Amino acid sequence: MAMELPCSSDWLYGIPHPPVLLPESVAELLVTCVGNHQTGIVRDISKTIAQFGGSITHSKSMELEGLQFVYMASVYVGDREKANLLRMTLNDMRVNATWIPLDPLNSGAPGYKKHMLKVNGYQRSGLIYTLSEGLASKGVQINDMTQTTYPAEGRQMMISWEAELGIPADVDVEEVRAIVADMAQNEKKLSAEISE
């Protein structure tokens, strides 16, 4: 019998998943766990993944208020049958595991140039919206991001935000830099820098 972890993934169940096309020998899973934080959660999940020959290609976790814990990982498995067994085993552990759709029709999609955006300064409501709206106006994708806040003097809060951007091949990076610089100039003590 599979171990049961304190993850509450009910909020993910019920979301309709479209039919997924999977090659015969490759599969990828999205693994998520949300619940009470306790010692050994990451160990137990990663051990189960390894037992089925899975490889964690990307993962993130964070602790929320009230000792709540969030873990998310993408998992590559070289055998589709083993991937399906892994998915069912994780679900038995109350860890949500779903197929990551593989769409061969998108293999010829326009290329994107990867760049990093680093933002530091005073936090305010709507700041991420302002930044992401400016990026979206140029068709820039946010592929990955990490955000932390910490106290400054008085009641002020500071923000540190890092994002991996996907800039369309036909968009000049300098245009994106100009938009980001203009937004930073309109904020209180905010620095923003785009690098390769």
Side-chain angles (χ1 to χ4, degrees):
M1 182 177 177
M3 69 190 78
E4 186 173 287
L5 296 179
C7 304
S8 177
S9 302
D10 293 343
W11 63 279
L12 281 170
Y13 297 137
I15 298 176
H17 295 285
V20 178
L21 297 175
L22 291 172
E24 289 300 322
S25 59
V26 174
E28 198 163 4
L29 296 172
L30 173 64
V31 175
T32 53
C33 176
V34 182
N36 295 326
H37 198 181
Q38 71 176 32
T39 302
I41 292 179
V42 174
R43 176 202 63 202
D44 293 341
I45 294 175
S46 58
K47 177 182 178 180
T48 303
I49 291 170
Q51 286 174 337
F52 287 90
S55 176
I56 299 173
T57 58
H58 194 87
S59 65
K60 283 191 174 182
S61 64
M62 61 180 173
E63 186 179 52
L64 306 177
E65 293 294 331
L67 295 178
Q68 291 292 301
F69 182 74
V70 179
Y71 177 79
M72 180 172 65
S74 59
V75 177
Y76 170 88
V77 185
D79 181 271
R80 185 168 61 171
E81 185 176 341
K82 286 184 178 180
N84 195 42
L85 291 172
L86 170 60
R87 179 182 64 83
M88 292 187 292
T89 302
L90 288 172
N91 286 339
D92 286 343
M93 295 165 57
R94 295 184 65 201
V95 176
N96 192 66
T98 56
W99 298 115
I100 297 177
L102 302 175
D103 188 355
L105 299 179
N106 286 333
S107 59
Y112 286 83
K113 299 167 287 188
K114 287 187 178 181
H115 286 74
M116 293 300 300
L117 169 62
K118 294 185 178 181
V119 176
N120 291 281
Y122 283 102
Q123 165 73 311
R124 69 164 178 82
S125 176
L127 177 59
I128 300 302
Y129 166 69
T130 300
L131 293 168
S132 58
E133 182 183 43
L135 295 170
S137 70
K138 285 293 181 180
V140 177
Q141 295 181 347
I142 299 175
N143 300 329
D144 196 359
M145 62 181 181
T146 302
Q147 173 187 332
T148 56
T149 56
Y150 50 94
E153 67 272 8
R155 295 186 177 181
Q156 291 281 355
M157 293 293 292
M158 302 293 289
I159 182 173
S160 175
W161 191 61
E162 294 188 13
E164 181 190 271
L165 306 180
I167 301 177
D170 58 352
V171 173
D172 190 341
V173 176
E174 294 307 317
E175 294 180 29
V176 181
R177 283 199 173 101
I179 289 176
V180 169
D182 184 60
M183 289 188 293
Q185 197 170 24
N186 293 327
E187 297 291 335
K188 182 181 178 182
K189 294 185 179 180
L190 189 74
S191 65
E193 179 183 354
I194 293 179
S195 60
E196 295 185 6

